[in-house]
Amino acid sequence: MSVAAIILAAGKGTRMRSKRAKVLHELGGEPMIARAIRAAAALEPEPIVIVVGRQAREVEAAAGFSKARFALQEPQRGTGDAARCGLSRIPTGFTGDVFIAYGDMPAITPATLRAFLDAHRKRGAKLSFISIMLDDPAAYGRVIRDGGGMVEKIVEFRDATPAERAVKEINTGFYLVDAALLRSALAELKPGNAQGEYYLTDIVAIARARNESESEKVEAWVAADPAEFAGINSREELANMEAEIRAAVNRKLMQSGVTLVDPPTAYISEQAEIAPDCVIGPNVQIIGMCKLGEGVRIDGTAWLSNVTIGPRCHLKLGVRAEDCVIGEDSEIGPFANLRAGTELAGHNRIGNFVETKKARLGRGAKASHLSYLGDATIGADTNIGCGVITVNYDGYDKHQTVIGDRCMVGCDTQLVAPVKVGNDVYVASGTTIVREVRDGSLVMSHHPQREKAGWMAAWRRQHGDSPDGSLKRTKDH
Ligand code: UD1
Ligand code: CA
């Protein structure tokens, strides 16, 4: 039995008060729509159709990594109309179940969806949807059952009678419907309701009406954990869910053996893989696909995005690193900026106020203070002194600097790229390197040092001071 999926994401999301489509707002570091697709993927649906309306292009881009198809709903005339749009992208020959979900329900878990599918199949239902019991059913659609407890219909809050509003079982908006039933039921929808919309929820009553004669079994599967069905309709709900997701990630990490010094200030993405015995200090953001090896220590105030960090590395206060690899046993910071394409082979040291970009450092190479290393390859065990700069940009193009193994690059050296320095080279401090340097050389470009004996005393006298500077009157500047 195959499954196809339709995710409805065309709605305006008025209560977000945003120019961005609701499903583009981010949760746990990714757009809501990406989460909805990931959850749906648990059912291995083929195809996955996403119904888009507002900012269709942007929504398509946000979902771009998946193999989803898109259906444009324009104008947006309700969830039933949206489902109809989605169905148009599913081959007419498809005979399995169609899973329908709303794109603004990002807390649902894959496990729950799999259990829902199991129940749907075991019961031999033609139409199932997930319901939950809520003490405060708010403005959700109410599940109305007949005297025998069979589901009769879903009534939207705005269309409900006072007695119906008192019902605490509500529709969560996840459905599994036999494809043939869905096609015929959607064709029967009418917008005769308070909002003048085509309600997807009406397919329940339509299927039930046929029940007697055609035995189309309709089931509501009551889910245990209402928290998974919180929708996002406002910025406040978005922030609350963000906090919940974050707390859940942190709990899981701590259970797996990671120390979070101050969990409320640890912002760690769900995709991060953090090995046991890592210690994460206060105010650390770990974004996207980061991998931290065993025993990594982050002192605090760090921003890491798509970074792989080898075992036992120590990130001191204030490290920013993006799209890079930090090999084992390295020491980074305090205050270091590792930009995209930085690759440290291991046992490296990147000290304070060092910026790297597309820089590959061999094992044991060090840059301990105040450097810019861009578009550079630096050999193993080479030491980059304080204030070394790769001059990589000529105003039009970027150029490569290559430095060999076991070099001593003296303080305040500039390497004007493209340029190559061999192995075992000693660069004297203050050198400007403009040409290739051969293996084993000493290289320097010093200005000759000049000295005028007794000059200081003359200078002081010229300013009315004594030769030892003792009369100096400070001027107002
Ligand atoms: C819907 C259900 C309600 C349920 C609730 C659960 C209907 C009629 N009502 O109400 O029973 O309790 O969800 O959260 O289905 N969308 C489109 N095109 C449209 C309209 C909506 O794609 O023309 C999409 C929205 O982007 C959203 C989803 O459908 O992702 C649900 O729409 P929304 O307006 O939020 O429905 P609710 O009023 O929450
Ligand atoms: Ca909603």
Side-chain angles (χ1 to χ4, degrees):
M1 256 305 245
S2 48
V3 175
I6 301 175
I7 298 173
L8 309 188
K12 290 186 266 300
T14 322
R15 280 170 287 172
M16 294 295 283
R17 302 204 183 286
S18 176
K19 287 185 179 155
R20 281 158 86 202
K22 180 159 74 177
V23 293
L24 289 177
H25 285 264
E26 289 186 0
L27 257 180
E30 60 181 350
M32 250 190 264
I33 187 67
R35 304 178 72 85
I37 295 170
R38 225 186 13 254
L43 305 180
E44 293 170 23
E46 181 57 46
I48 296 184
V49 181
I50 299 167
V51 182
V52 292
R54 199 171 183 203
Q55 293 186 322
R57 283 251 175 75
E58 288 84 345
V59 176
E60 289 191 29
F65 58 87
S66 69
K67 301 176 303 197
R69 298 181 188 180
F70 296 89
L72 183 66
Q73 187 201 15
E74 187 59 65
Q76 286 96 46
R77 296 180 298 178
T79 50
D81 178 56
R84 212 147 44 190
C85 279
L87 194 60
S88 72
R89 297 299 314 271
I90 294 174
T92 45
F94 178 81
T95 55
D97 287 312
V98 181
F99 169 69
I100 305 174
Y102 298 158
D104 63 349
M105 312 278 291
I108 187 80
T109 62
T112 298
L113 289 184
R114 276 194 289 267
F116 174 45
L117 179 63
D118 279 353
H120 174 72
R121 299 240 161 110
K122 277 207 192 90
R123 293 168 176 186
K126 281 286 175 79
L127 189 171
S128 299
F129 63 92
I130 306 181
S131 69
I132 47 169
M133 307 300 296
L134 286 184
D135 287 338
D136 172 16
Y140 289 107
R142 305 296 201 262
V143 179
I144 308 302
R145 294 178 183 261
D146 63 17
M150 300 282 285
V151 173
E152 209 172 305
K153 59 180 176 179
I154 298 171
V155 179
E156 288 308 294
F157 177 76
R158 293 224 236 160
D159 302 293
T161 63
E164 288 168 337
R165 287 185 178 184
V167 170
K168 292 186 186 310
E169 182 178 8
I170 64 103
N171 168 37
T172 63
F174 293 91
Y175 314 80
L176 276 162
V177 196
D178 169 75
L181 169 60
L182 183 64
R183 275 188 206 101
S184 64
L186 287 178
E188 281 183 39
L189 293 182
K190 292 189 182 65
N193 51 55
Q195 302 186 72
E197 287 185 352
Y198 294 92
Y199 287 165
L200 176 59
T201 43
D202 286 347
I203 63 172
V204 172
I206 291 169
R208 252 323 286 276
R210 296 180 194 167
N211 197 12
E212 271 71 37
S213 50
E214 295 164 41
S215 75
E216 312 231 80
K217 207 168 170 210
V218 176
E219 293 276 0
W221 184 73
V222 188
D225 182 10
E228 281 188 40
F229 301 94
I232 301 294
N233 296 298
S234 65
R235 308 251 183 179
E236 191 180 354
E237 286 172 355
L238 187 72
N240 290 343
M241 192 173 292
E242 180 76 40
E244 273 169 35
I245 290 172
R246 214 148 58 69
V249 169
N250 289 353
R251 264 198 306 275
K252 226 165 104 188
L253 285 172
M254 289 187 280
Q255 277 160 14
S256 74
V258 174
T259 295
L260 303 178
V261 174
D262 183 24
T265 67
Y267 305 79
I268 302 173
S269 93
E270 290 165 291
Q271 289 110 284
E273 290 171 20
I274 303 183
D277 284 326
C278 284
V279 177
I280 314 255
N283 193 25
V284 171
Q285 298 181 55
I286 296 179
I287 293 161
M289 245 327 283
C290 286
K291 287 186 192 174
L292 275 62
E294 219 169 81
V296 167
R297 200 183 167 85
I298 303 178
D299 287 350
T301 307
W303 186 96
L304 310 173
S305 171
N306 300 319
V307 179
T308 299
I309 304 177
R312 299 170 301 278
C313 284
H314 182 186
L315 275 57
K316 298 178 179 173
L317 184 77
V319 173
R320 182 196 173 283
E322 181 172 21
D323 299 319
C324 59
V325 179
I326 300 173
E328 56 183 22
D329 296 293
S330 294
E331 238 179 70
I332 314 293
F335 310 112
N337 184 11
L338 309 189
R339 293 167 54 199
T342 296
E343 284 176 33
L344 310 182
H347 297 265
N348 299 98
R349 165 149 178 71
I350 299 291
N352 46 194
F353 310 111
V354 172
E355 174 181 348
T356 62
K357 186 216 74 175
K358 287 188 187 162
R360 300 213 313 269
L361 271 68
R363 198 178 155 86
K366 297 183 178 67
S368 299
H369 335 264
L370 297 154
S371 279
Y372 172 62
L373 304 173
D375 302 295
T377 303
I378 294 162
D381 294 320
T382 283
N383 187 71
I384 303 291
C386 178
V388 170
I389 293 170
T390 55
V391 184
N392 63 329
Y393 185 47
D394 62 16
Y396 295 97
D397 295 304
K398 304 281 168 68
H399 301 282
Q400 294 290 320
T401 298
V402 178
I403 302 173
D405 297 342
R406 298 171 302 276
C407 292
M408 277 298 297
V409 181
C411 295
D412 193 28
T413 292
Q414 303 106 54
L415 298 120
V416 182
V419 77
K420 212 174 148 189
V421 173
N423 294 325
D424 304 290
V425 168
Y426 198 111
V427 181
S429 60
T431 299
T432 301
I433 296 188
V434 294
R435 281 187 303 278
E436 179 163 353
V437 182
R438 282 163 299 174
D439 290 355
S441 301
L442 164 69
V443 59
M444 63 185 95
S445 60
H446 291 162
H447 295 290
Q449 182 169 320
R450 296 190 301 159
E451 187 174 330
K452 294 186 178 175
W455 182 88
M456 189 60 166
W459 172 248
R460 284 175 175 151
R461 258 187 235 110
Q462 203 181 310
H463 288 85
D465 201 352
S466 63
D468 63 3
S470 59
L471 294 181
K472 184 171 182 179
R473 279 185 302 267
T474 42
K475 290 184 187 162
D476 295 329
H477 290 287

